[in-house]
Amino acid sequence: MEPSALALFWAGVIACAILLYVVLDGFDLGIGVLFGTTRDEALRVRMMDTIAPFWDGNETWLVVIGAGLFAAFPDVYAVFLGAFYLPVLLLLLGLIFRGVAFEFRFRSEQMRWVWDRGFFLGSTVVAFVQGAAVGAMMRGIPVADGQYTGGPFGWLHPFAILTGIGLVLGYALLGAGWLVLKSDGELRDWAYARIRWLAAGVLAVLFVAFAVTFDYSVLARSNLHARPWGLAFPAIGVLALAGLAVGVHRKRHDAVPFAMTVLFFVAAFLSLGAMFWPYMIPYSITVADAEAPDASLRFLFYGGVVVLPVIAAYTIGVYWVFRGKVRKGYGRGGSEGI
């Protein structure tokens, strides 16, 4: 059974939204992780300044993902929530708490230590549960008659814990690249000093994760045999990380660390696509199995062609307006202007 053109369209929209969310919200989650590794208040304020105009809008893509799955692929939405009820709950609590902490830390000096820890822990929890969910999906989700048949902790497996740690490190690397791109002086040097170790950590987790994946996933192994071109994607990702780890000390172009990390995430995403397509829930539900009726997909399409360009235009506009180095902050940490 082949998926319809509208189903393929919405699968592509959701795939693009996932990738955009991972890159855009990934760097501000990564900065939240890095935030907890220093007690220097000046560095912390400047970290906040680099993401102040962007972090709310970045999370819009998470809404697009959820709404797209609910409307276009309801079976996938139902199985995913059933399998990852606790991780999704932790993700929402983490996003809420880090958002509150972001605003309150500048307005409550006596409680600032609470909000600082909340921002760090919320960011780390969100990154971890996203990575753990990916790892659990890679192992396979037990499904019967379109319903999740596992337990509430079926996702909590050593491999999922490994991928959760890997995404925390990956987001921290993305955040460090963003700090290098957007800052100068002490914060830029502080971020540069951590990129090599973070890249090495991600490479180590990646190596172990691929070894374990090939043990657990017959489909991943067979798909890569059937699609040898798919091996190019993990090779590109490894080369991007290795080049970053080796060449970061040169400090010639501040855009390179962030660009190389984005390249790594794109390569990792395409690697997963080569391994598991056409499954949306490995190894039970394909795009064709999960698609909503044509009438629903067509109705959703009319709304999508209006809403999606607006979201994209807003995102591009914000990054264009606040391009370049953050010189004096965006007013968040008590400074004014840029």
Side-chain angles (χ1 to χ4, degrees), residues 10-321:
W10 281 110
V13 168
I14 292 170
C16 291
I18 292 173
L19 184 57
L20 285 169
Y21 172 79
V22 166
V23 172
L24 298 183
D25 206 37
F27 74 72
D28 71 60
L29 288 169
I31 289 174
V33 174
L34 294 172
F35 183 90
T37 65
T38 178
R39 294 184 178 276
D40 189 320
E41 179 62 18
L43 290 181
R44 286 182 165 184
V45 169
R46 293 192 65 194
M47 285 182 189
M48 293 290 200
D49 284 339
T50 64
I51 62 174
F54 310 106
W55 71 277
D56 270 337
N58 292 342
E59 294 175 358
T60 304
W61 296 103
L62 188 61
V63 178
V64 172
I65 296 165
L69 284 176
F70 177 79
F73 303 100
D75 288 350
V76 173
Y77 184 86
V79 170
F80 184 87
L81 282 187
F84 299 107
Y85 182 82
L86 289 177
V88 168
L89 182 61
L90 289 172
L91 182 144
L92 292 176
L93 289 174
L95 289 174
I96 292 169
F97 205 81
R98 74 186 294 268
V100 172
F102 190 95
E103 300 295 338
F104 276 36
R105 77 173 308 271
F106 294 112
R107 294 167 172 80
S108 177
E109 293 188 7
Q110 291 182 345
M111 295 288 290
R112 180 168 292 177
W113 65 274
V114 173
W115 306 122
D116 286 350
R117 291 182 182 180
F119 185 66
F120 165 67
L121 291 176
S123 301
T124 304
V125 167
V126 170
F128 176 80
V129 297
Q130 288 179 5
V134 171
M137 293 276 283
M138 292 174 72
R139 291 187 65 241
I141 304 298
V143 177
D145 299 324
Q147 300 293 322
Y148 173 65
T149 59
F153 295 99
W155 60 276
L156 194 59
H157 184 274
F159 177 67
I161 293 173
L162 179 67
T163 55
I165 294 171
L167 194 59
V168 170
L169 293 174
Y171 278 172
L173 178 61
L174 199 58
W178 180 259
L179 292 177
V180 168
L181 178 67
K182 298 294 287 184
S183 64
D184 52 16
E186 184 181 0
L187 179 59
R188 172 180 175 272
D189 294 338
W190 183 91
Y192 257 124
R194 281 146 183 81
I195 287 177
R196 175 178 296 177
W197 298 107
L198 289 170
V202 174
L203 273 173
V205 172
L206 184 67
F207 175 80
V208 177
F210 258 82
V212 175
T213 301
F214 273 60
D215 288 337
Y216 281 129
S217 174
V218 176
L219 180 68
R221 184 165 59 247
S222 64
N223 273 0
L224 284 181
H225 279 297
R227 303 164 181 166
W229 47 264
L231 293 171
F233 300 132
I236 291 171
V238 170
L239 288 175
L241 280 183
L244 187 57
V246 171
V248 71
H249 66 279
R250 298 178 182 177
K251 300 183 181 180
R252 292 181 180 175
H253 302 287
D254 287 352
V256 169
F258 185 72
M260 295 297 281
T261 310
V262 170
L263 176 61
F264 163 74
F265 273 99
V266 172
F269 186 78
L270 293 176
S271 298
L272 292 175
M275 287 180 181
F276 300 117
W277 176 263
Y279 287 98
M280 297 188 76
I281 299 289
Y283 307 95
S284 306
I285 301 177
T286 66
V287 174
D289 296 332
E291 65 179 276
D294 282 346
S296 298
L297 293 176
R298 194 174 302 110
F299 177 80
L300 185 63
F301 174 79
Y302 295 141
V305 295
V306 175
V307 174
L308 292 174
V310 172
I311 298 174
Y314 163 79
T315 301
I316 294 170
V318 168
Y319 281 87
W320 175 255
V321 169

